Amino acid sequence: MSLLTLLAARPAQADAVLTIPVSVQLAALVSLSAPSSADLGSGTPGGSISTFLGPVTVNGNQQSDWTATVSATNFTTPPGDAHRTITTSRVSYWSGDSTETSGQGTFTPGQLAAGDAQTLDSPRTAFSRSGDLFANSATWNPHLVIAVPSTAVAGTYTGTVTHSVA
């Protein structure tokens, strides 16, 4: 049984890391912050790796309804051939409920529970807010599950998960 490690952005580390933009601004009305990395750990071919990514927060000013989206790249290890790639169709995400909100309006998770998880083979709604036009914020701690292909070879895999807001 071989062991593989997932890693993003920092190949020198032994543990897996996931890059996420730290701050995104939209017309000074909405901002998003998220951890710049998350430890994804290690897994074996045919197994899965499951972890929380860390808190993601959107702050909206007055007159700002918003939708946060999430997308990902494939996770690869050089040279990145079929046995060295974990495609985004094997990477599942669910936002979970908010861990904290402020202001008024309706805050809606993109995927409330594990059973609602969606693969990241296309951009997905992570969280949204609508309603009263007052300053607001929402924080959630999304969960990522990577189904490691049984044909995967041992190595350090890199990839990126990106949150954005509009």
Side-chain angles (χ1 to χ4, degrees):
M1 180 179 300
S2 60
L3 182 68
L4 61 106
T5 300
L6 293 182
L7 180 73
R10 296 185 184 121
Q13 292 185 355
D15 290 330
V17 176
L18 178 69
T19 59
I20 303 170
V22 174
S23 180
V24 177
Q25 297 284 334
L26 175 66
L29 294 178
V30 183
S31 65
L32 182 144
S33 63
S36 60
S37 65
D39 184 351
L40 299 181
S42 298
T44 57
S48 66
I49 300 169
S50 179
T51 188
F52 286 98
L53 298 179
V56 177
T57 301
V58 172
N59 291 296
N61 294 328
Q62 292 178 348
Q63 302 179 5
S64 62
D65 288 348
W66 49 262
T67 298
T69 57
V70 60
S71 60
T73 64
N74 291 335
F75 286 81
T76 61
T77 190
D81 59 29
H83 296 292
R84 297 175 183 273
T85 299
I86 301 172
T87 64
T88 55
S89 65
R90 300 185 68 84
V91 179
S92 297
Y93 175 100
W94 78 91
S95 57
D97 204 359
S98 61
T99 57
E100 183 178 350
T101 62
S102 68
Q104 299 176 3
T106 302
F107 298 92
T108 306
Q111 310 79 23
L112 183 58
D116 303 319
Q118 295 179 302
T119 60
L120 293 180
D121 53 356
S122 64
R124 305 293 184 179
T125 297
F127 226 91
S128 63
R129 186 258 179 209
S130 63
D132 297 332
L133 300 178
F134 295 99
N136 60 81
S137 69
T139 301
W140 66 97
N141 190 7
H143 200 99
L144 192 72
V145 176
I146 300 172
V148 180
S150 60
T151 57
V153 298
T156 300
Y157 288 70
T158 61
T160 301
V161 172
T162 302
H163 285 90
S164 58
V165 65

